[in-house]
Amino acid sequence: MKSRRSSIHLCCFFCAVLSIVLSRGAFLSQASAQESPAKQDSAETSSKAKGRYQTRRIHDPNGTGKFYMGREIAQVMSFHGAPWLERPEREEEERLSELVRQLKLQPGQVVADIGAGSGVITMKMAEEVGPTGKVFAVDIQQEMLDLLGDKLQDRKIENIELVLGTDKSPKLEPNSIDLALMVDVYHELEFPFEMLVELSSSLKPGGRIALVEYRREDPEVPIKLVHKMTEAQVKKEIGQPEFGLKWKETIGTLPRQHLIVFQKPAK
């Protein structure tokens, strides 16, 4: 009799366990069904991000081996190269004064020099926007900002603000600037798509992004190939709908570089 009761109790125990397992299985299936759209969205986003950049083992020795829209991203110039930015012949080779003049900056405007380096162009822009305007000098290397900070202190320049950005963001507030300028910088951005999303957000309605890039179409321009860009490639990359920018003009007055301007539609 005792053996029979034990068998009955054991049978009831297994039935109870089976019931719990089946109930839990049903719950997990329901939860999985509820979460699947979010997981699918996440997987799709991750897939897009993965597909946006490719890495190639065989590449230009001056590049990173990382490719974006068919273009290899160039290596970033270290702060040790700051003297090259300030070489005396740079004005003749690149006509920096002409570059700034073509930007048609106005007193009181708020502008950003993205990849400001040692600040040669930053300070020229600061003169144009005047004491009522402001220039954000953005760089991802603190050493570059330190070099510029020393100059600002020595020359008592007060309308330039130093900003330590990241490889994905300039760390600027949305709708805060009239112009973002990148001089020989865009082709070195490690995450150009993410940076342009952030930059376009930081523009005021009607604001502009200006890119200065050595002309790849011209074999006579004495710059390593991976540090050049064609106008067509620039338009292809910056013209993506996610940025909401429209090509405005290409200015050809610089001796070696394109000056390509895009604009955020005014509301």
Side-chain angles (χ1 to χ4, degrees), residues 95-112:
R95 293 184 193 164
L96 301 183
S97 299
E98 168 67 8
L99 161 60
V100 174
R101 187 182 73 81
Q102 289 291 350
L103 296 176
K104 299 179 175 61
L105 301 176
Q106 300 298 319
Q109 284 188 323
V110 179
V111 300

mmCIF file of all heavy atoms in Angstrom, residues 95-112:
data_model
loop_
_atom_site.group_PDB
_atom_site.id
_atom_site.type_symbol
_atom_site.label_atom_id
_atom_site.label_comp_id
_atom_site.label_asym_id
_atom_site.label_seq_id
_atom_site.Cartn_x
_atom_site.Cartn_y
_atom_site.Cartn_z
ATOM 1 N N ARG A 95 46.189 79.583 -49.994
ATOM 2 C CA ARG A 95 45.442 80.853 -49.988
ATOM 3 C C ARG A 95 44.375 80.854 -48.893
ATOM 4 O O ARG A 95 43.167 80.956 -49.161
ATOM 5 C CB ARG A 95 44.813 81.121 -51.352
ATOM 6 C CG ARG A 95 45.848 81.380 -52.430
ATOM 7 C CD ARG A 95 45.199 81.742 -53.749
ATOM 8 N NE ARG A 95 46.145 81.698 -54.838
ATOM 9 C CZ ARG A 95 45.812 81.672 -56.134
ATOM 10 N NH1 ARG A 95 44.532 81.673 -56.468
ATOM 11 N NH2 ARG A 95 46.732 81.646 -57.067
ATOM 12 N N LEU A 96 44.832 80.725 -47.673
ATOM 13 C CA LEU A 96 43.910 80.654 -46.539
ATOM 14 C C LEU A 96 43.059 81.915 -46.418
ATOM 15 O O LEU A 96 41.876 81.838 -46.051
ATOM 16 C CB LEU A 96 44.702 80.426 -45.249
ATOM 17 C CG LEU A 96 45.565 79.154 -45.204
ATOM 18 C CD1 LEU A 96 46.224 79.027 -43.838
ATOM 19 C CD2 LEU A 96 44.734 77.917 -45.517
ATOM 20 N N SER A 97 43.644 83.063 -46.710
ATOM 21 C CA SER A 97 42.890 84.320 -46.634
ATOM 22 C C SER A 97 41.752 84.330 -47.643
ATOM 23 O O SER A 97 40.640 84.777 -47.351
ATOM 24 C CB SER A 97 43.819 85.525 -46.867
ATOM 25 O OG SER A 97 44.830 85.561 -45.879
ATOM 26 N N GLU A 98 42.024 83.800 -48.843
ATOM 27 C CA GLU A 98 40.992 83.699 -49.877
ATOM 28 C C GLU A 98 39.910 82.715 -49.445
ATOM 29 O O GLU A 98 38.712 82.949 -49.669
ATOM 30 C CB GLU A 98 41.629 83.252 -51.194
ATOM 31 C CG GLU A 98 40.657 82.819 -52.283
ATOM 32 C CD GLU A 98 39.798 83.959 -52.820
ATOM 33 O OE1 GLU A 98 40.048 85.128 -52.457
ATOM 34 O OE2 GLU A 98 38.866 83.669 -53.602
ATOM 35 N N LEU A 99 40.322 81.626 -48.840
ATOM 36 C CA LEU A 99 39.367 80.631 -48.341
ATOM 37 C C LEU A 99 38.389 81.270 -47.365
ATOM 38 O O LEU A 99 37.165 81.138 -47.519
ATOM 39 C CB LEU A 99 40.125 79.490 -47.662
ATOM 40 C CG LEU A 99 39.333 78.595 -46.688
ATOM 41 C CD1 LEU A 99 38.179 77.909 -47.397
ATOM 42 C CD2 LEU A 99 40.247 77.587 -46.027
ATOM 43 N N VAL A 100 38.906 81.976 -46.390
ATOM 44 C CA VAL A 100 38.044 82.596 -45.383
ATOM 45 C C VAL A 100 37.170 83.670 -46.010
ATOM 46 O O VAL A 100 35.989 83.818 -45.670
ATOM 47 C CB VAL A 100 38.891 83.161 -44.224
ATOM 48 C CG1 VAL A 100 38.020 83.937 -43.238
ATOM 49 C CG2 VAL A 100 39.610 82.023 -43.496
ATOM 50 N N ARG A 101 37.719 84.394 -46.973
ATOM 51 C CA ARG A 101 36.930 85.432 -47.652
ATOM 52 C C ARG A 101 35.739 84.816 -48.379
ATOM 53 O O ARG A 101 34.625 85.362 -48.361
ATOM 54 C CB ARG A 101 37.819 86.195 -48.636
ATOM 55 C CG ARG A 101 37.148 87.404 -49.277
ATOM 56 C CD ARG A 101 38.073 88.085 -50.265
ATOM 57 N NE ARG A 101 38.226 87.301 -51.477
ATOM 58 C CZ ARG A 101 37.352 87.286 -52.484
ATOM 59 N NH1 ARG A 101 36.238 88.019 -52.410
ATOM 60 N NH2 ARG A 101 37.575 86.571 -53.558
ATOM 61 N N GLN A 102 35.952 83.661 -49.008
ATOM 62 C CA GLN A 102 34.883 83.007 -49.762
ATOM 63 C C GLN A 102 33.772 82.471 -48.855
ATOM 64 O O GLN A 102 32.654 82.223 -49.324
ATOM 65 C CB GLN A 102 35.455 81.858 -50.598
ATOM 66 C CG GLN A 102 36.301 82.300 -51.781
ATOM 67 C CD GLN A 102 35.471 82.964 -52.876
ATOM 68 O OE1 GLN A 102 34.238 82.942 -52.861
ATOM 69 N NE2 GLN A 102 36.154 83.590 -53.835
ATOM 70 N N LEU A 103 34.048 82.303 -47.583
ATOM 71 C CA LEU A 103 33.013 81.828 -46.656
ATOM 72 C C LEU A 103 31.975 82.904 -46.353
ATOM 73 O O LEU A 103 30.893 82.606 -45.846
ATOM 74 C CB LEU A 103 33.659 81.354 -45.347
ATOM 75 C CG LEU A 103 34.593 80.146 -45.459
ATOM 76 C CD1 LEU A 103 35.235 79.857 -44.110
ATOM 77 C CD2 LEU A 103 33.847 78.922 -45.974
ATOM 78 N N LYS A 104 32.332 84.158 -46.633
ATOM 79 C CA LYS A 104 31.404 85.291 -46.456
ATOM 80 C C LYS A 104 30.812 85.322 -45.033
ATOM 81 O O LYS A 104 29.599 85.428 -44.848
ATOM 82 C CB LYS A 104 30.283 85.241 -47.505
ATOM 83 C CG LYS A 104 30.786 85.335 -48.940
ATOM 84 C CD LYS A 104 29.643 85.248 -49.946
ATOM 85 C CE LYS A 104 30.118 85.451 -51.369
ATOM 86 N NZ LYS A 104 31.086 84.453 -51.831
ATOM 87 N N LEU A 105 31.701 85.232 -44.072
ATOM 88 C CA LEU A 105 31.269 85.288 -42.679
ATOM 89 C C LEU A 105 30.820 86.697 -42.320
ATOM 90 O O LEU A 105 31.321 87.684 -42.865
ATOM 91 C CB LEU A 105 32.406 84.843 -41.755
ATOM 92 C CG LEU A 105 32.930 83.422 -41.993
ATOM 93 C CD1 LEU A 105 34.113 83.131 -41.076
ATOM 94 C CD2 LEU A 105 31.824 82.402 -41.772
ATOM 95 N N GLN A 106 29.887 86.779 -41.371
ATOM 96 C CA GLN A 106 29.339 88.063 -40.951
ATOM 97 C C GLN A 106 29.562 88.274 -39.460
ATOM 98 O O GLN A 106 29.585 87.306 -38.689
ATOM 99 C CB GLN A 106 27.827 88.105 -41.241
ATOM 100 C CG GLN A 106 27.460 87.928 -42.703
ATOM 101 C CD GLN A 106 28.024 89.032 -43.582
ATOM 102 O OE1 GLN A 106 28.006 90.210 -43.208
ATOM 103 N NE2 GLN A 106 28.517 88.666 -44.754
ATOM 104 N N PRO A 107 29.745 89.526 -39.038
ATOM 105 C CA PRO A 107 29.886 89.805 -37.608
ATOM 106 C C PRO A 107 28.689 89.247 -36.835
ATOM 107 O O PRO A 107 27.540 89.355 -37.277
ATOM 108 C CB PRO A 107 29.912 91.336 -37.547
ATOM 109 C CG PRO A 107 30.438 91.764 -38.882
ATOM 110 C CD PRO A 107 29.872 90.760 -39.854
ATOM 111 N N GLY A 108 28.985 88.629 -35.698
ATOM 112 C CA GLY A 108 27.929 88.080 -34.861
ATOM 113 C C GLY A 108 27.579 86.627 -35.143
ATOM 114 O O GLY A 108 26.820 86.009 -34.387
ATOM 115 N N GLN A 109 28.106 86.056 -36.220
ATOM 116 C CA GLN A 109 27.796 84.660 -36.521
ATOM 117 C C GLN A 109 28.525 83.707 -35.564
ATOM 118 O O GLN A 109 29.569 84.048 -34.993
ATOM 119 C CB GLN A 109 28.184 84.319 -37.961
ATOM 120 C CG GLN A 109 27.219 84.875 -38.997
ATOM 121 C CD GLN A 109 27.512 84.357 -40.393
ATOM 122 O OE1 GLN A 109 28.656 84.178 -40.788
ATOM 123 N NE2 GLN A 109 26.455 84.122 -41.165
ATOM 124 N N VAL A 110 27.949 82.518 -35.434
ATOM 125 C CA VAL A 110 28.552 81.454 -34.627
ATOM 126 C C VAL A 110 28.990 80.357 -35.585
ATOM 127 O O VAL A 110 28.163 79.804 -36.319
ATOM 128 C CB VAL A 110 27.556 80.894 -33.593
ATOM 129 C CG1 VAL A 110 28.199 79.781 -32.784
ATOM 130 C CG2 VAL A 110 27.059 82.003 -32.676
ATOM 131 N N VAL A 111 30.283 80.073 -35.604
ATOM 132 C CA VAL A 111 30.823 79.107 -36.563
ATOM 133 C C VAL A 111 31.699 78.087 -35.838
ATOM 134 O O VAL A 111 32.090 78.293 -34.684
ATOM 135 C CB VAL A 111 31.629 79.826 -37.675
ATOM 136 C CG1 VAL A 111 30.743 80.798 -38.433
ATOM 137 C CG2 VAL A 111 32.827 80.558 -37.087
ATOM 138 N N ALA A 112 32.003 76.985 -36.529
ATOM 139 C CA ALA A 112 32.831 75.932 -35.932
ATOM 140 C C ALA A 112 33.920 75.524 -36.904
ATOM 141 O O ALA A 112 33.656 75.318 -38.094
ATOM 142 C CB ALA A 112 31.970 74.727 -35.559
#
